[in-house]
């Protein structure tokens, strides 16, 4: 394994740990559903790290969009 490959694997591992941390903090049903998807990405990382990285990108984007609640507009007194 070349040194450059090792650096890419470390980056993927760091991102997988971050995804795991985020999934662990979810409520019950979401945690279970997204946990299965996370495990599938981890399994893929053993065979095809590049493809796993692409799936992880999509997974993290879905976590960001699904669970980011937009703020309600703030009322101002002058309106």
């Amino acid at each position: 394994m070349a040194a450059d490959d090792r650096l890419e694997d470390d980056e993927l591992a760091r991102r997988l740990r971050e995804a795991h941390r985020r999934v662990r903090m979810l409520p019950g049903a979401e945690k279970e559903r997204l946990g299965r998807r996370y495990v599938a990405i981890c399994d893929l990382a053993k065979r095809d790290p590049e493809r796993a990285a692409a799936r992880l990108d999509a997974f993290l984007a879905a976590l960001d969009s699904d669970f980011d609640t937009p703020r309600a507009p703030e009322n101002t007194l002058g309106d």
Side-chain angles (χ1 to χ4, degrees):
M1 175 187 291
D4 290 339
D5 292 341
R6 179 75 179 142
L7 291 175
E8 290 174 14
D9 290 345
D10 288 345
E11 177 65 17
L12 178 58
R14 184 193 62 75
R15 293 176 60 229
L16 285 168
R17 282 191 303 271
E18 173 64 19
H20 179 261
R21 183 190 65 77
R22 291 178 64 186
V23 168
R24 218 178 49 224
M25 296 172 70
L26 296 173
E30 289 298 311
K31 180 183 202 174
E32 185 177 333
R33 181 178 66 84
L34 293 172
R36 285 191 299 266
R37 188 172 167 195
Y38 169 77
V39 169
I41 293 168
C42 290
D43 187 49
L44 179 61
K46 297 173 190 175
R47 296 184 312 271
D48 190 349
E50 290 178 13
R51 195 163 157 215
R55 284 200 177 173
L56 183 58
D57 287 339
F59 180 71
L60 291 172
L63 280 177
D64 288 341
S65 66
D66 286 348
F67 300 104
D68 280 349
T69 305
R71 269 180 86 171
E74 295 181 17
N75 292 329
T76 59
L77 296 175
D79 289 345

